[in-house]
Amino acid sequence: DKFRLVYMYPITFISIYLYILNNRQSDLINEYVKGIKKIFNFQLIIILFFSLLEIVMGDNLRKIIYKGNFDKLHINLLGEQGLRIVSIIGNPINLSIILSLGIAFLLFAKKGVFRYFIISLSISIVLLSFSRTSYLIILIIFLMYIVFNRKSIRKIIFVVTIPIILSIYFFTNNTMTDKVSLVIKRVNTINVDTLNNNIRIDNWKLYIENTVANNPLNFLWGSGLGSSNSDSSQKVDNVYIVENSYVSILGEQGVIGLTMYIAIIILTIIRLLRLRKIKNQYTILLVILLSILFGSLFNDLYVNNPFSQYFWIIVLIVNIKIKINIYEQSKEKRLRINLN
């Protein structure tokens, strides 16, 4: 499964990239993007529906959906049983990050009043996932929205305040008031002291020390796929719970692999910024990419679906669009020269 996520996605998308460019199928990538948007919209609605159903039904719904895997769900936290929402995703962190990206999609790629209701609902569900990483991702998304729309103060005030007001209303509902103190308690743990004493940091150090730090060959090429794992339920000997994409890549694929991965990221961001100057619609891809990259600091998102898929889809779209844009500019330049 890890081989598929780390290697097969890039190979598949490279094949698509070469096919579209070699056959000059520029319209194909546009249809591809439209299809992705429709699928993402549908997924978001389904996930929110089952999240609301889970709030009402609790463990009864979880047992129907997950059956024998119910006991493996990470739903207990802060001394409370069944506290965290998992919807149909099966993991509260994955659920909350998907919804966070959905919020970004609604903010930057959608219009209309109804989106504020969906954004507010998504924020509320993310809060009930009790994922600190997603809390920070949502904050970063709204900050990026403010930065990219800083010339329109009215728009910023409207877009930021309406979802907050609706989310507060959601939590002041009689059935949700008992969750407020728990959410506040969770938010209060987002500080430097918690980061310093976080077991994840210790796991990162231990993993690096035991895989690449004292082995020059592993330092360059890594210790191979499978030496890190973000799923504690599948822990075996010589496999470390890392929960950091960059540390995992360093341990599994060495400095060479990490350098290549970072180079792809930097190149994609640079090209996204260039595309954004041409069409503002590429802002959403930039925001989603940066959100995934931030989330990767605290989770192995590079081997975690759908985030691994999202990452390579963005890389594919951006590089195809840049190449098509360069080709069209070159074609126009040759045409002008011939006319002259």
Side-chain angles (χ1 to χ4, degrees):
D1 187 59
K2 192 169 242 189
F3 178 84
R4 171 174 62 87
L5 294 169
V6 175
Y7 294 117
M8 289 307 297
Y9 278 158
I11 291 171
T12 301
F13 289 133
I14 287 172
S15 300
I16 295 172
Y17 171 83
L18 292 174
Y19 173 80
I20 291 175
L21 290 184
N22 288 335
N23 293 279
R24 306 299 181 191
Q25 297 286 335
S26 58
D27 292 337
L28 185 61
I29 190 64
N30 295 329
E31 293 301 318
Y32 180 69
V33 171
K34 289 179 182 177
I36 291 172
K37 286 182 178 179
K38 290 178 181 178
I39 292 171
F40 192 79
N41 270 324
F42 179 75
Q43 288 178 336
L44 188 61
I45 297 301
I46 294 296
I47 289 170
L48 287 173
F49 172 76
F50 277 96
S51 297
L52 289 174
L53 205 58
E54 185 179 354
I55 291 173
V56 176
M57 296 179 63
D59 284 346
N60 292 327
L61 179 66
R62 296 181 190 123
K63 288 177 180 178
I64 293 172
I65 295 175
Y66 298 103
K67 299 178 181 178
N69 294 317
F70 172 77
D71 293 333
K72 296 180 181 179
L73 296 175
H74 301 287
I75 56 178
N76 303 326
L77 190 72
L78 302 174
E80 299 285 335
Q81 298 294 315
L83 180 65
R84 309 179 83 174
I85 299 293
V86 294
S87 189
I88 54 174
I89 304 302
N91 183 297
I93 297 175
N94 286 6
L95 168 66
S96 59
I97 296 178
I98 290 172
L99 291 179
S100 298
L101 299 183
I103 291 169
F105 179 73
L106 292 167
L107 276 175
F108 289 91
K110 287 290 183 179
K111 295 181 180 179
V113 177
F114 183 69
R115 66 172 173 156
Y116 298 120
F117 172 75
I118 301 298
I119 290 171
S120 305
L121 184 58
S122 299
I123 292 173
S124 301
I125 301 299
V126 169
L127 290 174
L128 291 175
S129 74
F130 293 90
S131 168
R132 292 172 295 190
T133 300
S134 296
Y135 292 175
L136 293 173
I137 289 175
I138 288 179
L139 177 61
I140 290 170
I141 287 169
F142 273 98
L143 287 175
M144 284 192 284
Y145 185 85
I146 291 171
V147 170
F148 290 135
N149 294 278
R150 58 188 178 276
K151 293 182 180 179
S152 180
I153 301 300
R154 288 183 180 179
K155 188 176 181 180
I156 291 172
I157 293 172
F158 191 76
V159 168
V160 172
T161 55
I162 296 299
I164 291 174
I165 292 171
L166 290 175
S167 299
I168 291 172
Y169 175 78
F170 178 84
F171 273 93
T172 53
N173 185 287
N174 291 332
T175 60
M176 299 303 300
T177 49
D178 60 323
K179 306 289 185 183
V180 175
S181 60
L182 295 172
V183 171
I184 293 172
K185 185 177 180 180
R186 189 65 167 166
V187 171
N188 287 337
T189 63
I190 304 176
N191 53 57
V192 176
D193 290 336
T194 302
L195 182 63
N196 291 334
N197 297 319
N198 196 311
I199 192 172
R200 288 181 180 178
I201 307 295
D202 297 331
N203 287 342
W204 300 346
K205 294 177 181 177
L206 183 65
Y207 177 61
I208 294 299
E209 289 172 1
N210 292 326
T211 54
V212 299
N214 299 315
N215 188 321
L217 189 61
N218 283 359
F219 181 75
L220 283 175
W221 296 101
S223 57
L225 293 182
S227 61
S228 73
N229 192 350
S230 59
D231 189 349
S232 58
S233 66
Q234 299 180 16
K235 190 179 188 313
V236 295
D237 293 340
N238 300 320
V239 175
Y240 299 85
I241 308 301
V242 180
E243 296 181 304
N244 181 311
S245 293
Y246 311 105
V247 173
S248 289
I249 292 171
L250 176 61
E252 292 187 335
Q253 302 179 59
V255 171
I256 292 175
L258 181 60
T259 301
M260 292 175 66
Y261 188 71
I262 292 174
I264 291 171
I265 290 171
I266 293 173
L267 185 61
T268 301
I269 291 174
I270 291 172
R271 289 181 168 180
L272 258 175
L273 292 172
R274 284 175 58 188
L275 286 171
R276 188 175 173 272
K277 290 181 180 179
I278 302 170
K279 285 187 178 180
N280 199 47
Q281 67 185 40
Y282 292 102
T283 302
I284 179 57
L285 295 182
L286 179 62
V287 172
I288 289 178
L289 178 61
L290 293 177
S291 299
I292 291 174
L293 295 177
F294 177 80
S296 295
L297 288 169
F298 307 101
N299 289 277
D300 288 328
L301 298 187
Y302 86 108
V303 289
N304 194 337
N305 257 338
F307 312 111
S308 175
Q309 194 175 76
Y310 292 164
F311 174 82
W312 290 110
I313 285 173
I314 291 173
V315 171
L316 170 70
I317 292 171
V318 169
N319 283 281
I320 286 179
K321 287 292 186 179
I322 279 289
K323 288 294 183 181
I324 289 174
N325 187 55
I326 292 172
Y327 171 75
E328 289 177 349
Q329 287 180 346
S330 176
K331 187 177 179 180
E332 289 177 4
K333 187 176 180 180
R334 289 196 302 269
L335 183 61
R336 286 196 300 267
I337 292 173
N338 291 335
L339 290 174
N340 292 333

